[in-house]
Amino acid sequence: MPVLVELNIDAQSLWRDDSSQNWENDSDHEWIDGQLLQISDRDYSSDTFWGNYLMELASPQYRLAQNYGGYCEMSFGSIKVSQDVFDDSDIWPAPQTMSITIYYTPDTESNKEIMFEGVGYRSEFDRSGISYDIYSPEFNAKLLSETYGYASTTQNISNDAAADLGGGLVGIPCPAHGYKDDDTIVINGTTNYDGSYDLPSQALGSGDVIVITATYAAENFGGTETIAYYGLVPLPMAMGTIKHCAVTRLMDVGGAPTYHAGYITGTLGTDWHIYDDGVNVDANVTDNGNNTFSLSVMAVGTITICGTGSVSTLDELFDWACGSSRLPLSFNNDNSRAVSPTISYWADSQMNIIDFLSDIAAYFTHMFYIRTSVLYLLDMATDNGSRTVTEYDYFPASYSDLAPLARLIGRWKENSAANETIGRFIRSSEYEEILVTNYPYGDDFTIDAYQSVRADVSASLDLIGTIWHKQRARIPIPIESNLPVPGEAISGTDISLKRDVDFAINARHIQYEIFSGVPKAVIEGEGTIS
């Protein structure tokens, strides 16, 4: 039952015919070299030969982000190999970095399973061997797309005139503007000064006058023209049905104020609607057909949108994330919930997409893990395969419980159009649903809800509480055939206690201890202990 390790050394040499000309690959020549080295913890000959050069191997492990779900991430520590691996002169000294794939096989090379894929970074080497710290693949994709647009709330230019400051500088009146040297701004609604500007020195300006670099043209402003910061802004995304969410202002199209629609689907005026401080202005809106819309009349307040996004369920969200050039992964939802949970959320804050997926999966009591370029989404209540073990199939087990929760609190925000004596506006209200458990002596637990229907939030909290209060076990089992995977059901009978105990848990944390005498997997998770 060997461990097989592939060390994939990237190109080490580059041939040049002079100081400025690189030779290029063609069908007959590859001018950049690289090597694939295959090693093991013993001499192993099957389809190919794996040399006995693996000296030490830290235990790879899956760890679930939250006790009730989220990202079950594979992590690793380090590896140590013999100097003999790099015996060829063209790969000595040992490379600083290389790709590493670690397999486990119960018998033949053709039956090997990937335990880990990542990058090794050399930490030290001496006469005893060469050590590498191993890093998991990083998924740095962002949740939201970005484009250039208004990066702040717009301000109105004063009802005053532009000033010729000489030397190609113009003063634009804007009270308490707050702009400074090198800021980038965008001006809209003027006759002569619309566009974006990198601000020069503001020495000739004041707190109420912005200095721009432009050719002076006399103009008296009417007080409705606008100025705002201009830069790279995230584009919010509607997930499910949303109400009165503030849209992002983009650059004007044909002089018309233009906004991003947040990936709302359907027909303007039927499936989605636009409001100005809570007043429906569909009649003044043009759907540009590219997830943007323009207004024929300048807004007087906050522009918001109501409608339903193209992504409405948890399955759809993960499918979108894996198929939108964000995550280079295939998506498998064979074990997600039969009826995928419906989302109601307006994502408007930029963050790492994996972190967002982990948070929302946990809220809906789902977990996911990544293996061989496939993202697997699992309902926490569904078995991802199963195995039964006997007394001789596992090492001494232990049993535990998480600290109890007295209350689970789900919080969310809702916007609505308000019409009061002071005028019309968008009101933002915070709501919470509280689930009281049978453990009044426990702690409170608060979580962001990704739904807006109180009954749905209550049902999600109930599922979280159910998983949280299940009994837990830690079962080390020998690895004799295929590797246990996250979500797998493990059951058996423990006869080593005062009375027999039947256990049935699902794997949430898995540690593969290969260099520990008998290779074993230490599995932790919740389930039933009876």
Side-chain angles (χ1 to χ4, degrees):
M1 296 181 288
V3 177
L4 308 178
V5 179
E6 288 181 347
L7 308 177
N8 194 344
I9 302 175
D10 294 331
Q12 299 297 306
S13 304
L14 176 63
W15 283 266
R16 290 185 172 91
D17 56 85
D18 59 39
S19 60
S20 61
Q21 178 64 48
N22 291 348
W23 291 23
E24 296 182 356
N25 295 341
D26 58 31
S27 59
D28 299 314
H29 305 88
E30 185 175 11
W31 299 107
I32 302 175
D33 73 342
Q35 295 195 40
L36 178 65
L37 307 176
Q38 296 173 304
I39 66 173
S40 180
D41 58 332
R42 68 199 71 177
D43 283 337
Y44 178 76
S45 182
S46 184
D47 299 334
T48 55
F49 179 73
W50 304 69
N52 181 19
Y53 298 133
L54 178 60
M55 302 172 65
E56 295 178 10
L57 179 69
S59 299
Q61 56 185 310
Y62 284 105
R63 302 293 297 178
L64 187 60
Q66 306 291 343
N67 291 312
Y68 49 92
Y71 183 22
C72 193
E73 183 176 8
M74 168 66 84
S75 62
F76 211 100
S78 61
I79 188 172
K80 187 173 183 179
V81 301
S82 168
Q83 294 184 57
D84 294 332
V85 176
F86 309 103
D87 193 32
D88 292 342
S89 60
D90 63 337
I91 53 174
W92 182 262
Q96 185 181 55
T97 183
M98 58 185 171
S99 299
I100 295 180
T101 305
I102 301 173
Y103 303 91
Y104 178 81
T105 177
D107 39 51
T108 64
E109 182 178 341
S110 60
N111 287 333
K112 67 182 186 297
E113 293 182 70
I114 288 182
M115 283 199 299
F116 181 85
E117 292 179 285
V119 174
Y121 188 88
R122 191 182 62 213
S123 57
E124 72 171 330
F125 65 95
D126 55 28
R127 67 182 63 184
S128 68
I130 303 154
S131 297
Y132 286 85
D133 291 330
I134 299 183
Y135 297 88
S136 303
E138 291 293 328
F139 299 99
N140 294 320
K142 296 178 180 179
L143 170 64
L144 302 176
S145 298
E146 295 179 337
T147 191
Y148 282 91
Y150 286 75
S152 71
T153 304
T154 59
Q155 296 174 268
N156 287 108
I157 295 175
S158 302
N159 186 3
D160 205 341
D164 186 359
L165 303 178
L169 300 177
V170 177
I172 305 296
C174 182
H177 58 77
Y179 297 111
K180 60 186 184 301
D181 300 1
D182 300 322
D183 283 347
T184 300
I185 65 167
V186 61
I187 298 177
N188 270 306
T190 68
T191 301
N192 300 294
Y193 298 104
D194 278 13
S196 61
Y197 298 87
D198 294 325
L199 296 184
S201 168
Q202 297 297 294
L204 296 179
S206 69
D208 298 318
V209 175
I210 302 171
V211 179
I212 65 172
T213 301
T215 301
Y216 173 74
E219 182 173 352
N220 290 315
F221 303 114
T224 58
E225 302 85 351
T226 62
I227 295 180
Y229 279 109
Y230 181 71
L232 202 61
V233 296
L235 298 176
M237 178 179 177
M239 300 178 187
T241 300
I242 53 90
K243 297 178 180 178
H244 293 292
C245 293
V247 291
T248 296
R249 176 82 179 269
L250 306 176
M251 287 294 291
D252 291 359
V253 174
T258 301
Y259 302 80
H260 195 269
Y263 306 99
I264 293 289
T265 60
T267 303
L268 168 65
T270 302
D271 303 301
W272 56 280
H273 305 275
I274 301 301
Y275 298 81
D276 186 348
D277 266 359
V279 178
N280 186 293
V281 292
D282 287 349
N284 301 329
V285 178
T286 298
D287 180 3
N288 297 323
N290 60 350
N291 278 311
T292 71
F293 63 88
S294 298
L295 300 181
S296 59
V297 178
M298 286 294 295
V300 297
T302 302
I303 299 298
T304 58
I305 192 169
C306 294
T308 302
S310 57
V311 168
S312 295
T313 68
L314 190 66
D315 278 359
E316 290 174 354
L317 172 63
F318 274 80
D319 188 48
W320 166 83
C322 293
S324 61
S325 300
R326 281 173 166 75
L327 297 176
L329 303 168
S330 300
F331 175 50
N332 183 303
N333 64 338
D334 291 348
N335 288 315
S336 65
R337 198 161 300 159
V339 178
S340 188
T342 299
I343 306 170
S344 178
Y345 186 72
W346 179 253
D348 58 0
S349 296
Q350 189 62 281
M351 64 186 301
N352 183 292
I353 193 170
I354 285 287
D355 294 338
F356 179 79
L357 293 176
S358 183
D359 290 344
I360 197 168
Y363 171 77
F364 287 114
T365 53
H366 279 64
M367 63 183 289
F368 67 93
Y369 67 100
I370 297 169
R371 192 181 190 206
T372 60
S373 299
V374 179
L375 186 153
Y376 296 88
L377 179 64
L378 317 171
D379 183 355
M380 293 282 282
T382 299
D383 297 342
N384 185 26
S386 64
R387 72 180 70 200
T388 301
V389 295
T390 69
E391 177 190 4
Y392 302 103
D393 292 331
Y394 63 88
F395 299 88
S398 59
Y399 309 93
S400 62
D401 296 273
L402 298 175
L405 301 177
R407 302 189 310 164
L408 288 89
I409 304 167
R411 290 179 176 168
W412 71 98
K413 291 182 179 180
E414 284 190 45
N415 297 328
S416 59
N419 185 7
E420 299 184 356
T421 55
I422 60 172
R424 303 194 67 140
F425 60 96
I426 298 298
R427 176 186 286 119
S428 181
S429 303
E430 294 188 0
Y431 295 90
E432 64 179 30
E433 173 68 5
I434 301 176
L435 178 69
V436 178
T437 73
N438 296 323
Y439 310 96
Y441 40 80
D443 296 325
D444 283 353
F445 178 78
T446 302
I447 188 173
D448 291 332
Y450 293 91
Q451 298 167 297
S452 58
V453 177
R454 188 173 293 275
D456 293 341
V457 176
S458 179
S460 294
L461 295 178
D462 186 55
L463 289 175
I464 293 172
T466 298
I467 290 175
W468 188 284
H469 292 113
K470 283 188 174 183
Q471 293 165 302
R472 302 181 66 84
R474 182 178 185 272
I475 314 290
I477 66 173
I479 302 175
E480 296 178 342
S481 56
N482 60 307
L483 296 171
V485 294
E488 185 172 335
I490 310 294
S491 60
T493 300
D494 187 347
I495 63 173
S496 67
L497 304 175
K498 182 71 173 179
R499 293 182 181 274
D500 294 355
V501 166
D502 295 324
F503 58 83
I505 65 169
N506 289 91
R508 308 308 184 194
H509 309 312
I510 305 174
Q511 182 167 319
Y512 302 113
E513 296 185 355
I514 307 301
F515 272 53
S516 60
V518 177
K520 61 179 178 288
V522 181
I523 299 173
E524 299 179 54
E526 85 291 338
T528 58
I529 314 296
S530 59

PDB file of all heavy atoms in Angstrom, residues 74-96:
ATOM      1  N   MET A  74      -8.838  20.923   1.535  1.00  0.00           N
ATOM      2  CA  MET A  74      -7.679  20.060   1.713  1.00  0.00           C
ATOM      3  C   MET A  74      -6.454  20.915   2.009  1.00  0.00           C
ATOM      4  O   MET A  74      -6.195  21.910   1.328  1.00  0.00           O
ATOM      5  CB  MET A  74      -7.440  19.235   0.457  1.00  0.00           C
ATOM      6  CG  MET A  74      -6.107  18.505   0.410  1.00  0.00           C
ATOM      7  SD  MET A  74      -5.921  17.214   1.657  1.00  0.00           S
ATOM      8  CE  MET A  74      -6.727  15.824   0.852  1.00  0.00           C
ATOM      9  N   SER A  75      -5.710  20.551   3.026  1.00  0.00           N
ATOM     10  CA  SER A  75      -4.482  21.271   3.358  1.00  0.00           C
ATOM     11  C   SER A  75      -3.363  20.267   3.595  1.00  0.00           C
ATOM     12  O   SER A  75      -3.601  19.078   3.788  1.00  0.00           O
ATOM     13  CB  SER A  75      -4.676  22.160   4.590  1.00  0.00           C
ATOM     14  OG  SER A  75      -4.994  21.377   5.725  1.00  0.00           O
ATOM     15  N   PHE A  76      -2.129  20.788   3.607  1.00  0.00           N
ATOM     16  CA  PHE A  76      -0.967  19.920   3.732  1.00  0.00           C
ATOM     17  C   PHE A  76       0.100  20.660   4.521  1.00  0.00           C
ATOM     18  O   PHE A  76       0.030  21.872   4.715  1.00  0.00           O
ATOM     19  CB  PHE A  76      -0.442  19.544   2.332  1.00  0.00           C
ATOM     20  CG  PHE A  76       0.183  18.185   2.275  1.00  0.00           C
ATOM     21  CD1 PHE A  76      -0.527  17.103   1.790  1.00  0.00           C
ATOM     22  CD2 PHE A  76       1.474  17.983   2.702  1.00  0.00           C
ATOM     23  CE1 PHE A  76       0.044  15.843   1.721  1.00  0.00           C
ATOM     24  CE2 PHE A  76       2.057  16.735   2.647  1.00  0.00           C
ATOM     25  CZ  PHE A  76       1.350  15.659   2.159  1.00  0.00           C
ATOM     26  N   GLY A  77       1.103  19.955   4.947  1.00  0.00           N
ATOM     27  CA  GLY A  77       2.200  20.562   5.681  1.00  0.00           C
ATOM     28  C   GLY A  77       3.478  20.588   4.872  1.00  0.00           C
ATOM     29  O   GLY A  77       3.826  21.580   4.245  1.00  0.00           O
ATOM     30  N   SER A  78       4.194  19.457   4.867  1.00  0.00           N
ATOM     31  CA  SER A  78       5.501  19.444   4.207  1.00  0.00           C
ATOM     32  C   SER A  78       5.834  18.034   3.734  1.00  0.00           C
ATOM     33  O   SER A  78       5.162  17.053   4.081  1.00  0.00           O
ATOM     34  CB  SER A  78       6.587  19.938   5.163  1.00  0.00           C
ATOM     35  OG  SER A  78       6.669  19.084   6.299  1.00  0.00           O
ATOM     36  N   ILE A  79       6.886  17.961   2.942  1.00  0.00           N
ATOM     37  CA  ILE A  79       7.374  16.699   2.422  1.00  0.00           C
ATOM     38  C   ILE A  79       8.895  16.752   2.414  1.00  0.00           C
ATOM     39  O   ILE A  79       9.486  17.827   2.242  1.00  0.00           O
ATOM     40  CB  ILE A  79       6.820  16.449   0.993  1.00  0.00           C
ATOM     41  CG1 ILE A  79       7.163  15.043   0.512  1.00  0.00           C
ATOM     42  CG2 ILE A  79       7.312  17.486   0.011  1.00  0.00           C
ATOM     43  CD1 ILE A  79       6.472  14.701  -0.806  1.00  0.00           C
ATOM     44  N   LYS A  80       9.543  15.609   2.653  1.00  0.00           N
ATOM     45  CA  LYS A  80      10.997  15.548   2.611  1.00  0.00           C
ATOM     46  C   LYS A  80      11.400  14.410   1.689  1.00  0.00           C
ATOM     47  O   LYS A  80      10.867  13.292   1.796  1.00  0.00           O
ATOM     48  CB  LYS A  80      11.589  15.335   4.003  1.00  0.00           C
ATOM     49  CG  LYS A  80      13.113  15.436   4.047  1.00  0.00           C
ATOM     50  CD  LYS A  80      13.630  15.391   5.487  1.00  0.00           C
ATOM     51  CE  LYS A  80      15.139  15.575   5.530  1.00  0.00           C
ATOM     52  NZ  LYS A  80      15.655  15.563   6.931  1.00  0.00           N
ATOM     53  N   VAL A  81      12.349  14.703   0.790  1.00  0.00           N
ATOM     54  CA  VAL A  81      12.781  13.706  -0.185  1.00  0.00           C
ATOM     55  C   VAL A  81      14.298  13.585  -0.150  1.00  0.00           C
ATOM     56  O   VAL A  81      15.010  14.473   0.333  1.00  0.00           O
ATOM     57  CB  VAL A  81      12.310  14.066  -1.611  1.00  0.00           C
ATOM     58  CG1 VAL A  81      10.789  14.164  -1.665  1.00  0.00           C
ATOM     59  CG2 VAL A  81      12.938  15.367  -2.077  1.00  0.00           C
ATOM     60  N   SER A  82      14.772  12.495  -0.668  1.00  0.00           N
ATOM     61  CA  SER A  82      16.215  12.244  -0.728  1.00  0.00           C
ATOM     62  C   SER A  82      16.876  13.132  -1.775  1.00  0.00           C
ATOM     63  O   SER A  82      16.269  13.485  -2.789  1.00  0.00           O
ATOM     64  CB  SER A  82      16.466  10.773  -1.062  1.00  0.00           C
ATOM     65  OG  SER A  82      17.812  10.556  -1.404  1.00  0.00           O
ATOM     66  N   GLN A  83      18.158  13.465  -1.536  1.00  0.00           N
ATOM     67  CA  GLN A  83      18.919  14.208  -2.536  1.00  0.00           C
ATOM     68  C   GLN A  83      19.020  13.441  -3.854  1.00  0.00           C
ATOM     69  O   GLN A  83      19.172  14.038  -4.925  1.00  0.00           O
ATOM     70  CB  GLN A  83      20.339  14.470  -2.032  1.00  0.00           C
ATOM     71  CG  GLN A  83      20.449  15.388  -0.839  1.00  0.00           C
ATOM     72  CD  GLN A  83      21.897  15.656  -0.486  1.00  0.00           C
ATOM     73  OE1 GLN A  83      22.660  16.124  -1.318  1.00  0.00           O
ATOM     74  NE2 GLN A  83      22.265  15.324   0.747  1.00  0.00           N
ATOM     75  N   ASP A  84      18.932  12.117  -3.781  1.00  0.00           N
ATOM     76  CA  ASP A  84      19.098  11.301  -4.971  1.00  0.00           C
ATOM     77  C   ASP A  84      18.030  11.573  -6.035  1.00  0.00           C
ATOM     78  O   ASP A  84      18.211  11.225  -7.202  1.00  0.00           O
ATOM     79  CB  ASP A  84      19.064   9.814  -4.604  1.00  0.00           C
ATOM     80  CG  ASP A  84      20.258   9.417  -3.748  1.00  0.00           C
ATOM     81  OD1 ASP A  84      21.312  10.069  -3.873  1.00  0.00           O
ATOM     82  OD2 ASP A  84      20.131   8.471  -2.956  1.00  0.00           O
ATOM     83  N   VAL A  85      16.920  12.170  -5.616  1.00  0.00           N
ATOM     84  CA  VAL A  85      15.881  12.514  -6.594  1.00  0.00           C
ATOM     85  C   VAL A  85      16.439  13.447  -7.656  1.00  0.00           C
ATOM     86  O   VAL A  85      16.082  13.364  -8.835  1.00  0.00           O
ATOM     87  CB  VAL A  85      14.681  13.183  -5.884  1.00  0.00           C
ATOM     88  CG1 VAL A  85      13.637  13.627  -6.907  1.00  0.00           C
ATOM     89  CG2 VAL A  85      14.061  12.212  -4.887  1.00  0.00           C
ATOM     90  N   PHE A  86      17.335  14.339  -7.239  1.00  0.00           N
ATOM     91  CA  PHE A  86      17.833  15.387  -8.133  1.00  0.00           C
ATOM     92  C   PHE A  86      19.299  15.103  -8.519  1.00  0.00           C
ATOM     93  O   PHE A  86      20.147  15.981  -8.479  1.00  0.00           O
ATOM     94  CB  PHE A  86      17.714  16.747  -7.447  1.00  0.00           C
ATOM     95  CG  PHE A  86      16.341  16.998  -6.885  1.00  0.00           C
ATOM     96  CD1 PHE A  86      16.090  16.876  -5.521  1.00  0.00           C
ATOM     97  CD2 PHE A  86      15.287  17.340  -7.724  1.00  0.00           C
ATOM     98  CE1 PHE A  86      14.829  17.101  -5.000  1.00  0.00           C
ATOM     99  CE2 PHE A  86      14.020  17.562  -7.209  1.00  0.00           C
ATOM    100  CZ  PHE A  86      13.778  17.446  -5.847  1.00  0.00           C
ATOM    101  N   ASP A  87      19.536  13.878  -8.897  1.00  0.00           N
ATOM    102  CA  ASP A  87      20.902  13.440  -9.163  1.00  0.00           C
ATOM    103  C   ASP A  87      21.451  13.998 -10.476  1.00  0.00           C
ATOM    104  O   ASP A  87      22.659  14.128 -10.652  1.00  0.00           O
ATOM    105  CB  ASP A  87      20.947  11.903  -9.187  1.00  0.00           C
ATOM    106  CG  ASP A  87      22.374  11.372  -9.135  1.00  0.00           C
ATOM    107  OD1 ASP A  87      23.213  12.038  -8.510  1.00  0.00           O
ATOM    108  OD2 ASP A  87      22.637  10.310  -9.719  1.00  0.00           O
ATOM    109  N   ASP A  88      20.568  14.342 -11.419  1.00  0.00           N
ATOM    110  CA  ASP A  88      21.033  14.885 -12.687  1.00  0.00           C
ATOM    111  C   ASP A  88      21.572  16.297 -12.491  1.00  0.00           C
ATOM    112  O   ASP A  88      21.027  17.093 -11.727  1.00  0.00           O
ATOM    113  CB  ASP A  88      19.893  14.921 -13.716  1.00  0.00           C
ATOM    114  CG  ASP A  88      19.471  13.527 -14.139  1.00  0.00           C
ATOM    115  OD1 ASP A  88      20.260  12.586 -13.907  1.00  0.00           O
ATOM    116  OD2 ASP A  88      18.360  13.372 -14.676  1.00  0.00           O
ATOM    117  N   SER A  89      22.623  16.614 -13.232  1.00  0.00           N
ATOM    118  CA  SER A  89      23.268  17.919 -13.060  1.00  0.00           C
ATOM    119  C   SER A  89      22.355  19.072 -13.427  1.00  0.00           C
ATOM    120  O   SER A  89      22.460  20.176 -12.866  1.00  0.00           O
ATOM    121  CB  SER A  89      24.548  17.988 -13.903  1.00  0.00           C
ATOM    122  OG  SER A  89      24.249  17.801 -15.280  1.00  0.00           O
ATOM    123  N   ASP A  90      21.411  18.846 -14.382  1.00  0.00           N
ATOM    124  CA  ASP A  90      20.582  19.969 -14.806  1.00  0.00           C
ATOM    125  C   ASP A  90      19.432  20.253 -13.854  1.00  0.00           C
ATOM    126  O   ASP A  90      18.681  21.200 -14.050  1.00  0.00           O
ATOM    127  CB  ASP A  90      20.042  19.737 -16.221  1.00  0.00           C
ATOM    128  CG  ASP A  90      19.137  18.510 -16.293  1.00  0.00           C
ATOM    129  OD1 ASP A  90      19.282  17.636 -15.417  1.00  0.00           O
ATOM    130  OD2 ASP A  90      18.301  18.450 -17.209  1.00  0.00           O
ATOM    131  N   ILE A  91      19.253  19.414 -12.821  1.00  0.00           N
ATOM    132  CA  ILE A  91      18.230  19.728 -11.805  1.00  0.00           C
ATOM    133  C   ILE A  91      18.857  19.785 -10.411  1.00  0.00           C
ATOM    134  O   ILE A  91      18.208  19.477  -9.414  1.00  0.00           O
ATOM    135  CB  ILE A  91      17.066  18.713 -11.845  1.00  0.00           C
ATOM    136  CG1 ILE A  91      17.584  17.273 -11.753  1.00  0.00           C
ATOM    137  CG2 ILE A  91      16.216  18.909 -13.085  1.00  0.00           C
ATOM    138  CD1 ILE A  91      16.483  16.239 -11.633  1.00  0.00           C
ATOM    139  N   TRP A  92      20.110  20.155 -10.369  1.00  0.00           N
ATOM    140  CA  TRP A  92      20.766  20.377  -9.066  1.00  0.00           C
ATOM    141  C   TRP A  92      21.400  21.763  -9.071  1.00  0.00           C
ATOM    142  O   TRP A  92      22.015  22.139 -10.066  1.00  0.00           O
ATOM    143  CB  TRP A  92      21.842  19.314  -8.808  1.00  0.00           C
ATOM    144  CG  TRP A  92      22.474  19.505  -7.449  1.00  0.00           C
ATOM    145  CD1 TRP A  92      23.642  20.138  -7.159  1.00  0.00           C
ATOM    146  CD2 TRP A  92      21.916  19.112  -6.206  1.00  0.00           C
ATOM    147  NE1 TRP A  92      23.859  20.164  -5.816  1.00  0.00           N
ATOM    148  CE2 TRP A  92      22.804  19.543  -5.193  1.00  0.00           C
ATOM    149  CE3 TRP A  92      20.741  18.460  -5.829  1.00  0.00           C
ATOM    150  CZ2 TRP A  92      22.559  19.334  -3.840  1.00  0.00           C
ATOM    151  CZ3 TRP A  92      20.508  18.237  -4.485  1.00  0.00           C
ATOM    152  CH2 TRP A  92      21.416  18.668  -3.508  1.00  0.00           C
ATOM    153  N   PRO A  93      21.228  22.524  -7.994  1.00  0.00           N
ATOM    154  CA  PRO A  93      20.505  22.159  -6.768  1.00  0.00           C
ATOM    155  C   PRO A  93      19.007  21.977  -7.015  1.00  0.00           C
ATOM    156  O   PRO A  93      18.486  22.379  -8.055  1.00  0.00           O
ATOM    157  CB  PRO A  93      20.771  23.343  -5.836  1.00  0.00           C
ATOM    158  CG  PRO A  93      21.246  24.442  -6.679  1.00  0.00           C
ATOM    159  CD  PRO A  93      21.785  23.883  -7.934  1.00  0.00           C
ATOM    160  N   ALA A  94      18.385  21.342  -6.043  1.00  0.00           N
ATOM    161  CA  ALA A  94      16.958  21.045  -6.170  1.00  0.00           C
ATOM    162  C   ALA A  94      16.183  22.337  -6.441  1.00  0.00           C
ATOM    163  O   ALA A  94      16.512  23.389  -5.884  1.00  0.00           O
ATOM    164  CB  ALA A  94      16.449  20.402  -4.885  1.00  0.00           C
ATOM    165  N   PRO A  95      15.167  22.293  -7.302  1.00  0.00           N
ATOM    166  CA  PRO A  95      14.421  23.510  -7.650  1.00  0.00           C
ATOM    167  C   PRO A  95      13.739  24.120  -6.437  1.00  0.00           C
ATOM    168  O   PRO A  95      13.347  23.412  -5.505  1.00  0.00           O
ATOM    169  CB  PRO A  95      13.405  23.026  -8.682  1.00  0.00           C
ATOM    170  CG  PRO A  95      13.282  21.561  -8.431  1.00  0.00           C
ATOM    171  CD  PRO A  95      14.622  21.102  -7.972  1.00  0.00           C
ATOM    172  N   GLN A  96      13.586  25.426  -6.492  1.00  0.00           N
ATOM    173  CA  GLN A  96      12.937  26.123  -5.380  1.00  0.00           C
ATOM    174  C   GLN A  96      11.450  25.806  -5.309  1.00  0.00           C
ATOM    175  O   GLN A  96      10.878  25.698  -4.226  1.00  0.00           O
ATOM    176  CB  GLN A  96      13.136  27.632  -5.530  1.00  0.00           C
ATOM    177  CG  GLN A  96      12.605  28.436  -4.359  1.00  0.00           C
ATOM    178  CD  GLN A  96      12.794  29.924  -4.565  1.00  0.00           C
ATOM    179  OE1 GLN A  96      12.354  30.484  -5.561  1.00  0.00           O
ATOM    180  NE2 GLN A  96      13.484  30.563  -3.629  1.00  0.00           N
TER     181      GLN A  96
END
